[in-house]
Amino acid sequence: MKIPCSFCFTASVKKRTNQEMPEGDNDGSFRVYSYSELKSATRGFHPSEKVGEGGFGSVYKGRLRDGSLVAVKVLSVEVESMRGEREFVAELATLANIKHQNLVILRGCCVEGSQRYLIYDYMDNNSLHHTFLGSEHNRMRFSWEARRDISIGVARVLAFLHEELKPHIVHRDIKGSNILLDRNFTPKVSDFGLARILRDEKSYISTRVAGTLGYLAPEYANSGQVTRKSDVYSFGVLLLEIVSGKTVVDAFQDTERFIVEKAWAAYEANDLMRLVDPVLNMNFPEEEAKRFLMVGLRCVQETSKLRPRMSEVVEMLTNNIEMEDNVHISKPGFVNDLRNIRVKQKISSSLGESSSSGATFTSSMFSTNLAR
C-alpha cells in the first residue's frame, strides 16, 4: 500500500517508504496540507502557539479553517546528514496507514522548501512527561486508576506494533514525552522518527545509536542491535516512573541516579512498596501496585531474552495470567557510562559504517551529544 502523499517527497525516498510500508488500514482521512493553511492555523508559527520541542523539531498548536485543532510538527532537513528527511519518512511509513486507539493520529503532511511538516490530532493534555512528572501537584491529578489505564494502554499498543502488525515495528524511543494524553487522559504513543521496521524475526543493527538516557536498553547501546525487547526495556522504565512518580534519571543525586537502581534496591530489600508514589496517600490496591512494579523489573532485566514479550506484559498487567510469587528476577541493566558508546561511535564512523553524525541522548534534564 502506498503512502497517500507519495508525491510530496523525492522519488528515492518514495521508493524506500513504499517498500517499508506495514500492512494496515487507511480510512482516507490522510491528506496533503498547503503551507499557507498551516501558517494561518498557527498564526505564522507564533511562539505563543508552540506546545513542545523535541530532538526532531518544534510542535505548534493550530486551528484549521473548519475549527478543528491540530498539532503541527516542523522538521528541518539537514542536507548533509538528511536528518529530518529520515524522521519525516519514518513517521509517514509508520503512521499513515495504521490505526490503534493508543496511537496518535497522523492527519497529513506538507513540504515547503527544506521544511517538512507533519499534522496530528491535537492532544489536550500534552505529554505524560509534561503533565504527570512536571510537579507533585500535577501527579496528584493522576489517581491509581488513571495510572493503571495509561500503563495498560501503552502496553497494548506496543503489543500491537510488535506482534500483530506485519511487518513488526520497533519504536526505539518510548518515554514519557512521547506518550501524549487526550482530553480523557487516554495515552497516545507518538514520535516515530526513530522507528524501525523488522521483517520476520530478524533484528536490526544500527550504526547510529539514538535514544534517551535512562530508557535505553543496554544491549542496544553496546552493540546497536535493535529488537522488540529494546522497547520492552524502555516500557519497563516508563512503568516504574508511572507507579513511583519519580523521574527516570535524577541528575541532582550522586547515588542511585537511575530509577531502575532505586527499584532494584527496593526489591532486594523486600520493600517494593516504598517505591509507590507518596502522593497517592495509600489510595491504591497494594497487590496491584506490587504487581506493576514486578512487571517493570521483569522488563528491565539486563539479559534481553529474560524480558517478557509485550503481549505477556499486557496479560500480567491486566491480571489475566498469574505472576508467580517466587519468580526470579535478575538484576536490571542500564547505561551509566556514555564514554564507551562515544568511542564506539567514533570507531564506526572512521570505518565508514555510518554516514550519520553519531548518537544523541536527550532527556528533560540531561543532554549529551556523543558525536564529539
Side-chain angles (χ1 to χ4, degrees):
M1 181 182 294
K2 293 186 178 182
I3 286 180
C5 69
S6 58
F7 61 84
C8 66
F9 42 89
T10 65
S12 61
V13 171
K14 177 174 68 175
K15 180 179 178 182
R16 172 187 158 197
T17 305
N18 291 340
Q19 289 174 341
E20 294 182 348
M21 188 59 107
E23 295 177 7
D25 297 320
N26 187 286
D27 59 8
S29 60
F30 189 101
R31 57 172 289 232
V32 178
Y33 290 81
S34 68
Y35 174 73
S36 61
E37 282 182 277
L38 303 183
K39 185 177 180 180
S40 174
T42 59
R43 298 195 297 124
F45 298 96
H46 195 274
S48 64
E49 300 296 344
K50 184 182 286 190
V51 294
E53 188 161 5
F56 302 128
S58 301
V59 181
Y60 295 83
K61 179 181 179 180
R63 185 179 293 275
L64 299 176
R65 291 168 187 160
D66 64 4
S68 61
L69 293 175
V70 293
V72 181
K73 183 192 288 187
V74 185
L75 298 167
S76 296
V77 175
E78 298 173 5
V79 177
E80 291 183 0
S81 66
M82 289 303 289
R83 182 183 175 181
E85 189 79 358
R86 281 195 305 265
E87 283 69 40
F88 180 71
V89 172
E91 198 97 352
L92 288 173
T94 306
L95 292 177
N97 284 284
I98 59 174
K99 297 291 184 288
H100 188 279
Q101 63 179 350
N102 297 116
L103 273 180
V104 67
I105 294 177
L106 179 63
R107 286 194 173 202
C109 68
C110 171
V111 171
E112 179 73 18
S114 64
Q115 302 285 349
R116 305 288 183 266
Y117 301 87
L118 294 167
I119 298 87
Y120 308 88
D121 274 356
Y122 179 73
M123 295 290 108
D124 297 77
N125 285 301
N126 207 294
S127 71
L128 183 63
H129 177 85
H130 179 273
T131 307
F132 176 64
L133 290 173
S135 68
E136 182 175 308
H137 174 72
N138 284 355
R139 298 203 316 275
M140 292 177 68
R141 300 170 60 195
F142 288 78
S143 64
W144 173 257
E145 290 73 21
R147 298 177 196 225
R148 178 183 61 208
D149 292 346
I150 289 170
S151 301
I152 293 173
V154 176
R156 281 179 171 151
V157 73
L158 285 177
F160 168 75
L161 295 171
H162 287 185
E163 301 170 42
E164 298 177 40
L165 199 64
K166 302 294 182 181
H168 311 308
I169 291 177
V170 177
H171 186 280
R172 285 211 303 166
D173 201 18
I174 292 296
K175 59 183 178 181
S177 58
N178 286 338
I179 310 301
L180 305 182
L181 303 172
D182 69 10
R183 65 178 60 189
N184 299 315
F185 291 92
T186 302
K188 308 281 186 177
V189 174
S190 69
D191 206 334
F192 283 78
L194 294 179
R196 289 292 180 267
I197 292 174
L198 300 182
R199 298 186 182 278
D200 302 319
E201 297 301 316
K202 297 179 181 179
S203 62
Y204 173 89
I205 302 297
S206 173
T207 55
R208 187 178 69 98
V209 176
T212 301
L213 183 68
Y215 295 95
L216 198 74
E219 74 279 358
Y220 171 45
N222 292 331
S223 68
Q225 185 175 34
V226 180
T227 70
R228 287 171 285 182
K229 294 297 181 75
S230 308
D231 276 355
V232 174
Y233 180 94
S234 301
F235 173 80
V237 175
L238 180 71
L239 183 58
L240 294 174
E241 275 191 291
I242 291 172
V243 176
S244 69
K246 302 181 186 300
T247 54
V248 62
V249 181
D250 192 341
F252 303 103
Q253 289 189 11
D254 294 329
T255 59
E256 292 190 349
R257 294 176 57 209
F258 295 84
I259 194 171
V260 293
E261 293 179 275
K262 297 177 182 179
W264 181 250
Y267 173 74
E268 285 199 305
N270 199 28
D271 189 19
L272 263 181
M273 300 313 294
R274 79 185 188 203
L275 207 64
V276 179
D277 195 343
V279 306
L280 289 171
N281 198 28
M282 299 303 295
N283 292 320
F284 59 88
E286 186 171 322
E287 285 303 311
E288 187 171 51
K290 182 180 178 181
R291 186 172 75 249
F292 273 46
L293 290 169
M294 293 282 283
V295 172
L297 282 169
R298 290 184 68 172
C299 290
V300 298
Q301 293 177 101
E302 185 166 18
T303 303
S304 62
K305 67 180 181 181
L306 296 178
R307 299 173 202 153
R309 292 179 289 111
M310 284 308 305
S311 58
E312 294 174 317
V313 170
V314 172
E315 294 297 303
M316 288 186 284
L317 292 180
T318 56
N319 206 22
N320 287 334
I321 58 173
E322 290 289 333
M323 280 188 64
E324 305 89 344
D325 291 332
N326 60 348
V327 65
H328 173 71
I329 298 177
S330 64
K331 188 175 181 179
F334 56 93
V335 180
N336 64 349
D337 185 354
L338 301 179
R339 290 175 296 178
N340 290 335
I341 300 174
R342 184 185 295 116
V343 170
K344 289 179 181 179
Q345 290 293 309
K346 286 184 177 179
I347 292 174
S348 296
S349 179
S350 67
L351 292 176
E353 294 177 356
S354 173
S355 61
S356 67
S357 60
T360 301
F361 295 81
T362 60
S363 79
S364 58
M365 298 184 298
F366 184 94
S367 181
T368 301
N369 191 306
L370 306 183
R372 296 179 191 143

